[in-house]
Amino acid sequence: MKQSIFTIDYNIALTSDVYKMRLIGDTSDIKRPGEFVNIKLDGFYLRRPISVFDCDEEAVTIIYKVVGEGTEYMKTLEYGAQLDVLTGLGNGYDVDKCGDKVLLIGGGVGVPPMYYLAKKLLEAGKTVSMIMGFNKKEEIFAKEDFEALGVPTYVTTVDGSEGIKGFVTNAMDMVEYDCVCTCGPEPMLRAVYDASKTTGYYSFEERMGCGFGACMGCSCKTKYGNKRICKDGPVLVKEEIIW
Amino acid sequence: MVDTRVTLSGWTLDNPIIPASGTFGYGYEYAELYDINILGSFSFKGTTLEPRFGNPTPRIAETPNGMINSVGLQNPGIDAVISEELPKLRKCFNKKVVANIGGFAVEEFVKIVEKLDKEDIVGLHEVNISCPNLHKGGKNFGTDADAAYEVTKAVKKVATKPVYIKLTPNVTDIASIAKAVEEAGADGISLINTLLGMRINKRTRKPVIANKMGGFSGSAIFLVALRCVYQVYEAVNIPIIGMGGVSSAEDVIEMMMAGATAVEVGAYNLVNPYGSKEIVEDLPRVMEKYRIEQLSDIIGGAH
């Protein structure tokens, strides 16, 4: 974990309530896809944990949804604004353990961490496919980013306004895979868990206090013992999950 | 050169800064971030006789200038703490710790203190009596002077190390509880534990926290904590460890002037992981600002 000051490069709307923010600063502690950063906002006591969408030597990019007062404020921040950010949080996805034909599944704002993971998996020479699930056409974002990587990308929408009608699980049979990596709302994770025939890595969300393992605010029970979503997670292996 | 040393019941600390229980784990998490030997000491995660998972999630809610938590004393239990956590801690901390303990029956407190009393690394016992007493219909030990007296008396019988009782502010008259534990033989008092609070999600019309209510902490509660420490200092003659919303060296000075000999830093560690270290480092500057040479001189200075 590292605490440092980042400068906003851009903060733009992707949909009516989803924003993309690029933060320039010291990214040296961001080691694995699936990690998150924890952002201090003026006037808010707790930091905002947001997953990493992309990362290179000079900047980290996040995609976040406006869901409350903190993110409502965050969307107003402009180019040049500085933010106190903790980086290198969470255990992320271990690319080496992810199999050779990896199916990525993201639901809503569970899509962003799949992008950095896709890049790292491709770098490691693995075959990657992506399924992204949304409620409706207007909510879709980041599809072109995955396509630019050359990743076969399937979109599902609940109302059928774009792509395959239904849930992400409706697209799973169209892909050959030996491992699933997924992030999204818990009901979606559960549906993927039931529908998948292979092992997999599931990224969970929980309200956090500190985000670095100190407060026990985000504990969960697993088959391998009690775990903290922020420190031992957010990525858990399929075999340890208790629903 | 200023002198930041303070003494708690014969135990001299290099400085009065003690990260509070529940915000600092068993220390080693923070030792990855900085050398925790810079601290006066720290109070480890509230430890109970049996392992506890704690309450369901969500356990955390944000408030203006603070937070509410309902962790529910998650800890691996006293035996695992002694066999696993304390050995890890010894590798990164060469000072003594404040052993924070919780219990749901008088006998539980006694058993834990008996075990921890033998550990060299323990400087003093900090007994959290803000727990429901299972033998008294779940009534909180800390809100009843007789129950507080009883648990203090029982623990004191088996302890050779100083016993500090940690008081809840969720009472009508905190001074009367303080007097009861002093009368029962407590060596000192720690206060305040969190204030009972809650938040409601206006979209779902339901409490944010799964357990509905939780402990309110953070800088928002500093002034309540200061008032409690001031009142208790007037009421008793034993040392006080003051805490509640402390987030700066300025707050430390103010808390000591109200009557605290040492000061715990809680929620602030969670939003600024380097918070306690920064307070220790800033203390000499703030002492000079207020022309304080010997920090211990200002204890209770506001009375």
PDB file of all heavy atoms in Angstrom, chain B residues 163-196:
ATOM      1  N   VAL B 163      -5.040  -2.394  35.895  1.00  0.00           N
ATOM      2  CA  VAL B 163      -6.329  -2.627  35.247  1.00  0.00           C
ATOM      3  C   VAL B 163      -6.993  -1.278  34.983  1.00  0.00           C
ATOM      4  O   VAL B 163      -7.267  -0.512  35.907  1.00  0.00           O
ATOM      5  CB  VAL B 163      -7.248  -3.501  36.134  1.00  0.00           C
ATOM      6  CG1 VAL B 163      -8.658  -3.574  35.544  1.00  0.00           C
ATOM      7  CG2 VAL B 163      -6.671  -4.898  36.301  1.00  0.00           C
ATOM      8  N   TYR B 164      -7.216  -0.993  33.697  1.00  0.00           N
ATOM      9  CA  TYR B 164      -7.930   0.217  33.294  1.00  0.00           C
ATOM     10  C   TYR B 164      -9.291  -0.198  32.771  1.00  0.00           C
ATOM     11  O   TYR B 164      -9.391  -1.127  31.954  1.00  0.00           O
ATOM     12  CB  TYR B 164      -7.155   0.988  32.219  1.00  0.00           C
ATOM     13  CG  TYR B 164      -6.036   1.837  32.780  1.00  0.00           C
ATOM     14  CD1 TYR B 164      -5.070   1.283  33.630  1.00  0.00           C
ATOM     15  CD2 TYR B 164      -5.955   3.196  32.490  1.00  0.00           C
ATOM     16  CE1 TYR B 164      -4.049   2.058  34.160  1.00  0.00           C
ATOM     17  CE2 TYR B 164      -4.936   3.995  33.013  1.00  0.00           C
ATOM     18  CZ  TYR B 164      -3.986   3.412  33.844  1.00  0.00           C
ATOM     19  OH  TYR B 164      -2.982   4.197  34.374  1.00  0.00           O
ATOM     20  N   ILE B 165     -10.332   0.449  33.231  1.00  0.00           N
ATOM     21  CA  ILE B 165     -11.681   0.112  32.783  1.00  0.00           C
ATOM     22  C   ILE B 165     -12.101   1.112  31.710  1.00  0.00           C
ATOM     23  O   ILE B 165     -12.016   2.323  31.906  1.00  0.00           O
ATOM     24  CB  ILE B 165     -12.680   0.155  33.972  1.00  0.00           C
ATOM     25  CG1 ILE B 165     -12.189  -0.740  35.131  1.00  0.00           C
ATOM     26  CG2 ILE B 165     -14.073  -0.246  33.503  1.00  0.00           C
ATOM     27  CD1 ILE B 165     -12.131  -2.225  34.845  1.00  0.00           C
ATOM     28  N   LYS B 166     -12.528   0.569  30.553  1.00  0.00           N
ATOM     29  CA  LYS B 166     -12.937   1.437  29.446  1.00  0.00           C
ATOM     30  C   LYS B 166     -14.443   1.677  29.514  1.00  0.00           C
ATOM     31  O   LYS B 166     -15.234   0.740  29.435  1.00  0.00           O
ATOM     32  CB  LYS B 166     -12.555   0.804  28.102  1.00  0.00           C
ATOM     33  CG  LYS B 166     -12.870   1.706  26.907  1.00  0.00           C
ATOM     34  CD  LYS B 166     -12.177   1.213  25.637  1.00  0.00           C
ATOM     35  CE  LYS B 166     -12.586   2.038  24.424  1.00  0.00           C
ATOM     36  NZ  LYS B 166     -11.911   1.596  23.192  1.00  0.00           N
ATOM     37  N   LEU B 167     -14.804   2.940  29.663  1.00  0.00           N
ATOM     38  CA  LEU B 167     -16.204   3.293  29.908  1.00  0.00           C
ATOM     39  C   LEU B 167     -16.948   3.693  28.640  1.00  0.00           C
ATOM     40  O   LEU B 167     -16.394   4.285  27.720  1.00  0.00           O
ATOM     41  CB  LEU B 167     -16.283   4.467  30.891  1.00  0.00           C
ATOM     42  CG  LEU B 167     -15.636   4.286  32.261  1.00  0.00           C
ATOM     43  CD1 LEU B 167     -15.941   5.503  33.132  1.00  0.00           C
ATOM     44  CD2 LEU B 167     -16.112   3.018  32.960  1.00  0.00           C
ATOM     45  N   THR B 168     -18.236   3.382  28.647  1.00  0.00           N
ATOM     46  CA  THR B 168     -19.110   3.820  27.560  1.00  0.00           C
ATOM     47  C   THR B 168     -19.677   5.200  27.904  1.00  0.00           C
ATOM     48  O   THR B 168     -20.003   5.471  29.063  1.00  0.00           O
ATOM     49  CB  THR B 168     -20.264   2.818  27.330  1.00  0.00           C
ATOM     50  OG1 THR B 168     -21.216   3.417  26.449  1.00  0.00           O
ATOM     51  CG2 THR B 168     -20.965   2.436  28.621  1.00  0.00           C
ATOM     52  N   PRO B 169     -19.823   6.053  26.904  1.00  0.00           N
ATOM     53  CA  PRO B 169     -20.437   7.360  27.166  1.00  0.00           C
ATOM     54  C   PRO B 169     -21.966   7.303  27.127  1.00  0.00           C
ATOM     55  O   PRO B 169     -22.619   8.314  27.399  1.00  0.00           O
ATOM     56  CB  PRO B 169     -19.915   8.200  25.992  1.00  0.00           C
ATOM     57  CG  PRO B 169     -19.814   7.214  24.876  1.00  0.00           C
ATOM     58  CD  PRO B 169     -19.404   5.900  25.509  1.00  0.00           C
ATOM     59  N   ASN B 170     -22.518   6.124  26.800  1.00  0.00           N
ATOM     60  CA  ASN B 170     -23.970   6.033  26.619  1.00  0.00           C
ATOM     61  C   ASN B 170     -24.674   5.827  27.960  1.00  0.00           C
ATOM     62  O   ASN B 170     -25.380   4.845  28.171  1.00  0.00           O
ATOM     63  CB  ASN B 170     -24.286   4.897  25.646  1.00  0.00           C
ATOM     64  CG  ASN B 170     -23.575   5.086  24.321  1.00  0.00           C
ATOM     65  OD1 ASN B 170     -23.566   6.186  23.764  1.00  0.00           O
ATOM     66  ND2 ASN B 170     -22.947   4.039  23.829  1.00  0.00           N
ATOM     67  N   VAL B 171     -24.431   6.761  28.884  1.00  0.00           N
ATOM     68  CA  VAL B 171     -24.993   6.697  30.229  1.00  0.00           C
ATOM     69  C   VAL B 171     -25.457   8.096  30.637  1.00  0.00           C
ATOM     70  O   VAL B 171     -25.057   9.089  30.028  1.00  0.00           O
ATOM     71  CB  VAL B 171     -23.949   6.203  31.259  1.00  0.00           C
ATOM     72  CG1 VAL B 171     -23.586   4.754  31.006  1.00  0.00           C
ATOM     73  CG2 VAL B 171     -22.701   7.080  31.237  1.00  0.00           C
ATOM     74  N   THR B 172     -26.271   8.151  31.671  1.00  0.00           N
ATOM     75  CA  THR B 172     -26.765   9.445  32.143  1.00  0.00           C
ATOM     76  C   THR B 172     -25.659  10.202  32.870  1.00  0.00           C
ATOM     77  O   THR B 172     -25.495  11.406  32.705  1.00  0.00           O
ATOM     78  CB  THR B 172     -27.945   9.224  33.106  1.00  0.00           C
ATOM     79  OG1 THR B 172     -28.850   8.332  32.472  1.00  0.00           O
ATOM     80  CG2 THR B 172     -28.630  10.529  33.437  1.00  0.00           C
ATOM     81  N   ASP B 173     -24.887   9.480  33.684  1.00  0.00           N
ATOM     82  CA  ASP B 173     -23.874  10.154  34.507  1.00  0.00           C
ATOM     83  C   ASP B 173     -22.590   9.328  34.510  1.00  0.00           C
ATOM     84  O   ASP B 173     -22.421   8.411  35.309  1.00  0.00           O
ATOM     85  CB  ASP B 173     -24.422  10.324  35.932  1.00  0.00           C
ATOM     86  CG  ASP B 173     -23.409  10.953  36.868  1.00  0.00           C
ATOM     87  OD1 ASP B 173     -22.406  11.528  36.374  1.00  0.00           O
ATOM     88  OD2 ASP B 173     -23.610  10.879  38.090  1.00  0.00           O
ATOM     89  N   ILE B 174     -21.669   9.670  33.613  1.00  0.00           N
ATOM     90  CA  ILE B 174     -20.455   8.869  33.454  1.00  0.00           C
ATOM     91  C   ILE B 174     -19.574   8.950  34.701  1.00  0.00           C
ATOM     92  O   ILE B 174     -18.867   7.995  35.043  1.00  0.00           O
ATOM     93  CB  ILE B 174     -19.685   9.265  32.166  1.00  0.00           C
ATOM     94  CG1 ILE B 174     -18.661   8.185  31.792  1.00  0.00           C
ATOM     95  CG2 ILE B 174     -19.030  10.645  32.291  1.00  0.00           C
ATOM     96  CD1 ILE B 174     -18.149   8.262  30.373  1.00  0.00           C
ATOM     97  N   ALA B 175     -19.642  10.065  35.427  1.00  0.00           N
ATOM     98  CA  ALA B 175     -18.809  10.225  36.623  1.00  0.00           C
ATOM     99  C   ALA B 175     -19.168   9.189  37.687  1.00  0.00           C
ATOM    100  O   ALA B 175     -18.293   8.693  38.402  1.00  0.00           O
ATOM    101  CB  ALA B 175     -18.951  11.643  37.177  1.00  0.00           C
ATOM    102  N   SER B 176     -20.454   8.844  37.779  1.00  0.00           N
ATOM    103  CA  SER B 176     -20.847   7.881  38.815  1.00  0.00           C
ATOM    104  C   SER B 176     -20.316   6.479  38.492  1.00  0.00           C
ATOM    105  O   SER B 176     -19.961   5.718  39.400  1.00  0.00           O
ATOM    106  CB  SER B 176     -22.369   7.864  38.983  1.00  0.00           C
ATOM    107  OG  SER B 176     -22.976   7.404  37.799  1.00  0.00           O
ATOM    108  N   ILE B 177     -20.253   6.130  37.213  1.00  0.00           N
ATOM    109  CA  ILE B 177     -19.684   4.822  36.821  1.00  0.00           C
ATOM    110  C   ILE B 177     -18.171   4.846  37.095  1.00  0.00           C
ATOM    111  O   ILE B 177     -17.601   3.871  37.604  1.00  0.00           O
ATOM    112  CB  ILE B 177     -19.927   4.531  35.317  1.00  0.00           C
ATOM    113  CG1 ILE B 177     -21.384   4.752  34.920  1.00  0.00           C
ATOM    114  CG2 ILE B 177     -19.440   3.122  34.963  1.00  0.00           C
ATOM    115  CD1 ILE B 177     -22.370   3.695  35.314  1.00  0.00           C
ATOM    116  N   ALA B 178     -17.545   5.968  36.796  1.00  0.00           N
ATOM    117  CA  ALA B 178     -16.107   6.107  37.043  1.00  0.00           C
ATOM    118  C   ALA B 178     -15.795   5.947  38.525  1.00  0.00           C
ATOM    119  O   ALA B 178     -14.837   5.260  38.907  1.00  0.00           O
ATOM    120  CB  ALA B 178     -15.626   7.475  36.539  1.00  0.00           C
ATOM    121  N   LYS B 179     -16.610   6.552  39.350  1.00  0.00           N
ATOM    122  CA  LYS B 179     -16.400   6.439  40.804  1.00  0.00           C
ATOM    123  C   LYS B 179     -16.559   5.004  41.274  1.00  0.00           C
ATOM    124  O   LYS B 179     -15.823   4.527  42.131  1.00  0.00           O
ATOM    125  CB  LYS B 179     -17.418   7.327  41.543  1.00  0.00           C
ATOM    126  CG  LYS B 179     -16.988   8.775  41.655  1.00  0.00           C
ATOM    127  CD  LYS B 179     -17.977   9.502  42.562  1.00  0.00           C
ATOM    128  CE  LYS B 179     -17.914  10.998  42.315  1.00  0.00           C
ATOM    129  NZ  LYS B 179     -19.096  11.700  42.786  1.00  0.00           N
ATOM    130  N   ALA B 180     -17.525   4.289  40.690  1.00  0.00           N
ATOM    131  CA  ALA B 180     -17.766   2.893  41.078  1.00  0.00           C
ATOM    132  C   ALA B 180     -16.553   2.021  40.753  1.00  0.00           C
ATOM    133  O   ALA B 180     -16.144   1.191  41.567  1.00  0.00           O
ATOM    134  CB  ALA B 180     -19.012   2.357  40.382  1.00  0.00           C
ATOM    135  N   VAL B 181     -15.960   2.214  39.582  1.00  0.00           N
ATOM    136  CA  VAL B 181     -14.821   1.351  39.232  1.00  0.00           C
ATOM    137  C   VAL B 181     -13.573   1.763  40.020  1.00  0.00           C
ATOM    138  O   VAL B 181     -12.740   0.916  40.355  1.00  0.00           O
ATOM    139  CB  VAL B 181     -14.540   1.302  37.702  1.00  0.00           C
ATOM    140  CG1 VAL B 181     -15.753   0.801  36.944  1.00  0.00           C
ATOM    141  CG2 VAL B 181     -14.069   2.614  37.143  1.00  0.00           C
ATOM    142  N   GLU B 182     -13.463   3.038  40.363  1.00  0.00           N
ATOM    143  CA  GLU B 182     -12.339   3.469  41.217  1.00  0.00           C
ATOM    144  C   GLU B 182     -12.460   2.812  42.595  1.00  0.00           C
ATOM    145  O   GLU B 182     -11.494   2.275  43.131  1.00  0.00           O
ATOM    146  CB  GLU B 182     -12.315   4.994  41.367  1.00  0.00           C
ATOM    147  CG  GLU B 182     -11.133   5.497  42.214  1.00  0.00           C
ATOM    148  CD  GLU B 182     -11.172   6.997  42.482  1.00  0.00           C
ATOM    149  OE1 GLU B 182     -12.272   7.538  42.735  1.00  0.00           O
ATOM    150  OE2 GLU B 182     -10.096   7.634  42.467  1.00  0.00           O
ATOM    151  N   GLU B 183     -13.673   2.823  43.110  1.00  0.00           N
ATOM    152  CA  GLU B 183     -13.937   2.224  44.411  1.00  0.00           C
ATOM    153  C   GLU B 183     -13.650   0.722  44.402  1.00  0.00           C
ATOM    154  O   GLU B 183     -13.190   0.149  45.394  1.00  0.00           O
ATOM    155  CB  GLU B 183     -15.415   2.460  44.762  1.00  0.00           C
ATOM    156  CG  GLU B 183     -15.724   2.494  46.248  1.00  0.00           C
ATOM    157  CD  GLU B 183     -17.224   2.675  46.455  1.00  0.00           C
ATOM    158  OE1 GLU B 183     -17.806   3.623  45.875  1.00  0.00           O
ATOM    159  OE2 GLU B 183     -17.813   1.840  47.156  1.00  0.00           O
ATOM    160  N   ALA B 184     -13.880   0.075  43.248  1.00  0.00           N
ATOM    161  CA  ALA B 184     -13.640  -1.365  43.115  1.00  0.00           C
ATOM    162  C   ALA B 184     -12.155  -1.678  42.927  1.00  0.00           C
ATOM    163  O   ALA B 184     -11.765  -2.841  42.856  1.00  0.00           O
ATOM    164  CB  ALA B 184     -14.442  -1.917  41.940  1.00  0.00           C
ATOM    165  N   GLY B 185     -11.331  -0.646  42.842  1.00  0.00           N
ATOM    166  CA  GLY B 185      -9.892  -0.879  42.771  1.00  0.00           C
ATOM    167  C   GLY B 185      -9.240  -0.673  41.429  1.00  0.00           C
ATOM    168  O   GLY B 185      -8.065  -1.003  41.236  1.00  0.00           O
ATOM    169  N   ALA B 186      -9.974  -0.141  40.443  1.00  0.00           N
ATOM    170  CA  ALA B 186      -9.379   0.094  39.125  1.00  0.00           C
ATOM    171  C   ALA B 186      -8.149   0.985  39.260  1.00  0.00           C
ATOM    172  O   ALA B 186      -8.137   1.922  40.059  1.00  0.00           O
ATOM    173  CB  ALA B 186     -10.403   0.745  38.192  1.00  0.00           C
ATOM    174  N   ASP B 187      -7.112   0.683  38.464  1.00  0.00           N
ATOM    175  CA  ASP B 187      -5.900   1.504  38.486  1.00  0.00           C
ATOM    176  C   ASP B 187      -6.043   2.741  37.618  1.00  0.00           C
ATOM    177  O   ASP B 187      -5.312   3.713  37.789  1.00  0.00           O
ATOM    178  CB  ASP B 187      -4.714   0.666  37.991  1.00  0.00           C
ATOM    179  CG  ASP B 187      -4.463  -0.513  38.911  1.00  0.00           C
ATOM    180  OD1 ASP B 187      -3.901  -0.303  39.991  1.00  0.00           O
ATOM    181  OD2 ASP B 187      -4.868  -1.635  38.550  1.00  0.00           O
ATOM    182  N   GLY B 188      -6.970   2.671  36.669  1.00  0.00           N
ATOM    183  CA  GLY B 188      -7.182   3.807  35.788  1.00  0.00           C
ATOM    184  C   GLY B 188      -8.450   3.638  34.994  1.00  0.00           C
ATOM    185  O   GLY B 188      -9.120   2.600  35.073  1.00  0.00           O
ATOM    186  N   ILE B 189      -8.764   4.675  34.217  1.00  0.00           N
ATOM    187  CA  ILE B 189      -9.986   4.656  33.418  1.00  0.00           C
ATOM    188  C   ILE B 189      -9.656   5.072  31.996  1.00  0.00           C
ATOM    189  O   ILE B 189      -8.843   5.957  31.768  1.00  0.00           O
ATOM    190  CB  ILE B 189     -11.044   5.604  34.038  1.00  0.00           C
ATOM    191  CG1 ILE B 189     -11.562   5.005  35.345  1.00  0.00           C
ATOM    192  CG2 ILE B 189     -12.186   5.868  33.069  1.00  0.00           C
ATOM    193  CD1 ILE B 189     -12.412   5.935  36.157  1.00  0.00           C
ATOM    194  N   SER B 190     -10.284   4.380  31.058  1.00  0.00           N
ATOM    195  CA  SER B 190     -10.139   4.679  29.651  1.00  0.00           C
ATOM    196  C   SER B 190     -11.488   5.166  29.167  1.00  0.00           C
ATOM    197  O   SER B 190     -12.495   4.514  29.426  1.00  0.00           O
ATOM    198  CB  SER B 190      -9.879   3.347  28.960  1.00  0.00           C
ATOM    199  OG  SER B 190      -8.763   3.272  28.275  1.00  0.00           O
ATOM    200  N   LEU B 191     -11.525   6.270  28.452  1.00  0.00           N
ATOM    201  CA  LEU B 191     -12.803   6.715  27.919  1.00  0.00           C
ATOM    202  C   LEU B 191     -12.586   7.722  26.794  1.00  0.00           C
ATOM    203  O   LEU B 191     -11.537   8.352  26.789  1.00  0.00           O
ATOM    204  CB  LEU B 191     -13.711   7.275  29.023  1.00  0.00           C
ATOM    205  CG  LEU B 191     -13.458   8.698  29.542  1.00  0.00           C
ATOM    206  CD1 LEU B 191     -14.690   9.218  30.201  1.00  0.00           C
ATOM    207  CD2 LEU B 191     -12.295   8.755  30.517  1.00  0.00           C
ATOM    208  N   ILE B 192     -13.508   7.790  25.808  1.00  0.00           N
ATOM    209  CA  ILE B 192     -14.803   7.127  25.792  1.00  0.00           C
ATOM    210  C   ILE B 192     -14.821   6.034  24.717  1.00  0.00           C
ATOM    211  O   ILE B 192     -14.108   6.128  23.726  1.00  0.00           O
ATOM    212  CB  ILE B 192     -15.965   8.117  25.483  1.00  0.00           C
ATOM    213  CG1 ILE B 192     -15.746   8.829  24.147  1.00  0.00           C
ATOM    214  CG2 ILE B 192     -16.132   9.104  26.613  1.00  0.00           C
ATOM    215  CD1 ILE B 192     -16.900   9.726  23.692  1.00  0.00           C
ATOM    216  N   ASN B 193     -15.647   5.037  24.943  1.00  0.00           N
ATOM    217  CA  ASN B 193     -15.978   4.108  23.878  1.00  0.00           C
ATOM    218  C   ASN B 193     -16.883   4.860  22.898  1.00  0.00           C
ATOM    219  O   ASN B 193     -17.178   6.037  23.107  1.00  0.00           O
ATOM    220  CB  ASN B 193     -16.689   2.881  24.465  1.00  0.00           C
ATOM    221  CG  ASN B 193     -16.466   1.642  23.618  1.00  0.00           C
ATOM    222  OD1 ASN B 193     -16.514   1.710  22.394  1.00  0.00           O
ATOM    223  ND2 ASN B 193     -16.234   0.517  24.264  1.00  0.00           N
ATOM    224  N   THR B 194     -17.332   4.195  21.838  1.00  0.00           N
ATOM    225  CA  THR B 194     -18.142   4.894  20.835  1.00  0.00           C
ATOM    226  C   THR B 194     -19.523   5.273  21.371  1.00  0.00           C
ATOM    227  O   THR B 194     -20.037   4.658  22.298  1.00  0.00           O
ATOM    228  CB  THR B 194     -18.338   4.002  19.595  1.00  0.00           C
ATOM    229  OG1 THR B 194     -18.847   2.741  20.030  1.00  0.00           O
ATOM    230  CG2 THR B 194     -17.028   3.791  18.860  1.00  0.00           C
ATOM    231  N   LEU B 195     -20.099   6.280  20.733  1.00  0.00           N
ATOM    232  CA  LEU B 195     -21.470   6.683  21.042  1.00  0.00           C
ATOM    233  C   LEU B 195     -22.413   5.845  20.186  1.00  0.00           C
ATOM    234  O   LEU B 195     -22.129   5.581  19.018  1.00  0.00           O
ATOM    235  CB  LEU B 195     -21.664   8.158  20.680  1.00  0.00           C
ATOM    236  CG  LEU B 195     -20.896   9.163  21.545  1.00  0.00           C
ATOM    237  CD1 LEU B 195     -20.648  10.444  20.767  1.00  0.00           C
ATOM    238  CD2 LEU B 195     -21.663   9.465  22.809  1.00  0.00           C
ATOM    239  N   LEU B 196     -23.538   5.447  20.754  1.00  0.00           N
ATOM    240  CA  LEU B 196     -24.487   4.655  19.974  1.00  0.00           C
ATOM    241  C   LEU B 196     -25.172   5.554  18.937  1.00  0.00           C
ATOM    242  O   LEU B 196     -25.708   6.604  19.289  1.00  0.00           O
ATOM    243  CB  LEU B 196     -25.526   4.036  20.917  1.00  0.00           C
ATOM    244  CG  LEU B 196     -26.411   2.945  20.330  1.00  0.00           C
ATOM    245  CD1 LEU B 196     -25.592   1.758  19.851  1.00  0.00           C
ATOM    246  CD2 LEU B 196     -27.421   2.494  21.371  1.00  0.00           C
TER     247      LEU B 196
END
